[in-house]
Amino acid sequence: MARNVYGKVCAVFGGSRGIGRAVSELLASRGGVVVVLSRDSDCAALCVNGLQRATTCEQHLSLSCDVGCYTSVQNSLQHIQNKLGHVNVLVNAAGVNYDNLLLRTTPDEMQRTINTNLLGPMFTSQVVLKHMLRDGNGVIINIGSVVGMKGNIGQCVYAASKSGKMNTEKCFEKFVSGEQTNSYRGVT
């Protein structure tokens, strides 16, 4: 994240806690206009209040969004575009994990994990990429996990979702870098 983000619109999905919050704080400290997106609107608002105090930027924004729901992602990104303009930096940090053996994991827990950890980054990237390709610039950052490469006891579904996410990133990177078409699209 060494790029200059001053004045850039930075959408951080899962930006209210953990790694996502640390990324939100870093982007804000470097002059980015940060939009914190979380299912927990109170937590997102609390994070943005802290960002506004720390940076004196009043444009930081909090939004409630379920990253595993395509309509929620579309609506949130449309709201950002209407209020701040196109997203220049997209961070996919939202994630869920239900530590449990596969035999004890409920279908609902499996679905939520796959929707949030795997489909969510696909949804967000698909929506913002259209503008990034047209504008010829933009950055997409996906937060992964070593568990996606190595696995872990009690994290079968989580590992599968993170492994799928990493392989999706590889395919996505080849597309946006122009590797298959011998052209650089300006998106990293």
Side-chain angles (χ1 to χ4, degrees):
M1 252 189 291
R3 290 178 175 236
N4 181 6
V5 296
Y6 186 82
K8 303 285 186 187
V9 178
C10 307
V12 185
F13 285 84
S16 66
R17 298 186 308 164
I19 294 170
R21 185 177 185 128
V23 171
S24 295
E25 292 169 353
L26 177 63
L27 291 169
S29 75
R30 293 194 178 177
V33 179
V34 178
V35 182
V36 175
L37 297 107
S38 172
R39 283 183 306 199
D40 185 339
S41 59
D42 292 336
C43 194
L46 188 63
C47 180
V48 165
N49 286 338
L51 297 179
Q52 289 173 337
R53 283 192 310 272
T55 64
T56 67
C57 176
E58 296 296 319
Q59 288 184 294
H60 299 308
L61 181 65
S62 67
L63 291 175
S64 177
C65 179
D66 179 357
V67 75
C69 173
Y70 188 73
T71 304
S72 182
V73 169
Q74 278 186 310
N75 292 341
S76 295
L77 289 167
Q78 185 63 53
H79 183 80
I80 293 168
Q81 183 177 329
N82 292 344
K83 189 145 179 122
L84 302 171
H86 297 307
V87 171
N88 306 107
V89 179
L90 168 65
V91 180
N92 288 309
V96 296
N97 180 25
Y98 300 96
D99 285 332
N100 211 348
L101 298 174
L102 183 60
L103 295 172
R104 294 183 184 142
T105 305
T106 68
D108 184 57
E109 291 169 338
M110 289 180 197
Q111 194 66 55
R112 176 162 275 192
T113 301
I114 296 297
N115 286 354
T116 301
N117 299 353
L118 180 59
L119 294 178
M122 288 183 194
F123 295 158
T124 61
S125 297
Q126 183 184 51
V127 175
V128 302
L129 185 60
K130 295 171 189 171
H131 301 293
M132 287 181 176
L133 289 174
R134 192 186 70 232
D135 296 344
N137 65 41
V139 177
I140 298 174
I141 300 166
N142 289 307
I143 306 298
S145 172
V146 70
V147 174
M149 294 186 313
K150 297 185 179 263
N152 200 20
I153 295 172
Q155 295 185 323
C156 183
V157 180
Y158 179 77
S161 70
K162 291 297 185 171
S163 177
K165 181 179 179 181
M166 287 188 298
N167 283 296
T168 301
E169 291 167 11
K170 289 176 187 175
C171 296
F172 185 72
E173 181 182 359
K174 288 177 187 275
F175 169 72
V176 297
S177 70
E179 184 176 312
Q180 296 171 341
T181 59
N182 296 322
S183 65
Y184 179 70
R185 293 180 165 86
V187 180
T188 55

